[in-house]
Amino acid sequence: MCGIVGYIGKRQAAPVLLDGLSKLEYRGYDSAGLAIYDGSAINIQKSTGRLKVLSELTHDGSTMPGTVGIGHTRWATHGEPNDTNAHPHFNEARSIAVVHNGIIENYIKLKKKLVDRGYRFVSDTDTEIVAHLLDYYCKKTQGEVIETITEVMHRVEGSYALGILFADCPDKVYALRKDSPLIVGKSADGNLIASDVP
């Protein structure tokens, strides 16, 4: 079972997300990753193995500045445990990043349609489908994010909790769920999403 976290607020996001992911380690995982918006772009760091590896790669989050981000611990269901299959996943332009807990049941059918439309996939995961679908419908809706997300939700079958960053909407973390747990926390310092209460 995967773990997802998201943060937007006054603090640096990466250390908050790493702390949140550490509280979800009990769920089991084989890789971890972060996507942080730094003011101009979404930066992504992923690693196979324990969360400690990701913490060391990012110097406890200090090499990933920004106050908006999402994080993930992955338990492989589609594709081997490796850095490529680790979350977050993104569109080709790296302007949309996605973390996901759950299973996209119709991902093979969706992937074929996207490949036929010229999309290239780098991972073996079902989650990368969501990033490319968001990209596809974002172009069709002319960047209307809620409409884009709604279009994707109507096409994806299965269970999911998603955390999404759009570089064009740098002051928001989008979160949605269907049949998978997702909670929202609010505080004076910022707002959080997570796949479990801890």
Side-chain angles (χ1 to χ4, degrees):
M1 192 175 216
C2 302
I4 67 171
V5 294
Y7 174 79
I8 182 166
K10 299 174 184 173
R11 298 166 59 191
Q12 289 296 303
V16 173
L17 296 173
L18 287 168
D19 183 55
L21 291 175
S22 74
K23 290 174 173 57
L24 297 174
E25 284 186 292
Y26 74 93
R27 296 165 74 95
Y29 64 98
D30 51 51
S31 58
L34 299 173
I36 308 290
Y37 183 76
D38 70 0
S40 60
I42 298 173
N43 296 303
I44 294 173
Q45 182 67 60
K46 308 190 280 186
S47 66
T48 306
R50 306 305 297 169
L51 188 58
K52 181 179 180 193
V53 176
L54 182 63
S55 292
E56 289 172 353
L57 281 171
T58 63
H59 298 275
D60 296 323
S62 66
T63 61
M64 296 187 78
T67 58
V68 180
I70 52 178
H72 190 271
T73 53
R74 174 179 186 256
W75 188 257
T77 53
H78 295 95
E80 294 181 16
N82 59 38
D83 289 358
T84 302
N85 288 332
H87 296 209
H89 288 285
F90 42 86
N91 63 334
E92 194 169 344
R94 289 184 172 232
S95 59
I96 302 169
V98 177
V99 291
H100 167 226
N101 177 30
I103 302 248
I104 307 299
E105 293 171 1
N106 61 336
Y107 84 101
I108 293 173
K109 182 173 116 180
L110 293 171
K111 184 174 184 176
K112 183 181 182 324
K113 287 182 179 179
L114 288 165
V115 167
D116 290 347
R117 291 183 171 114
Y119 283 85
R120 293 179 299 174
F121 288 79
V122 296
S123 80
D124 300 316
T125 69
D126 56 341
T127 305
E128 190 181 1
I129 299 331
V130 176
H132 292 307
L133 273 178
L134 287 166
D135 179 84
Y136 176 76
Y137 285 106
C138 198
K139 291 171 183 169
K140 288 183 85 65
T141 66
Q142 299 177 345
E144 293 292 329
V145 173
I146 298 300
E147 190 178 339
T148 296
I149 290 171
T150 302
E151 291 285 347
V152 171
M153 287 177 68
H154 287 206
R155 282 151 183 86
V156 170
E157 297 170 6
S159 66
Y160 51 81
L162 298 169
I164 307 167
L165 294 182
F166 289 87
D168 291 342
C169 300
D171 59 342
K172 292 181 174 67
V173 172
Y174 292 88
L176 57 142
R177 65 174 287 276
K178 178 182 174 269
D179 301 329
S180 288
L182 184 68
I183 60 164
V184 176
K186 299 180 93 174
S187 77
D189 289 337
N191 300 327
L192 296 149
I193 61 166
S195 51
D196 208 344
V197 173

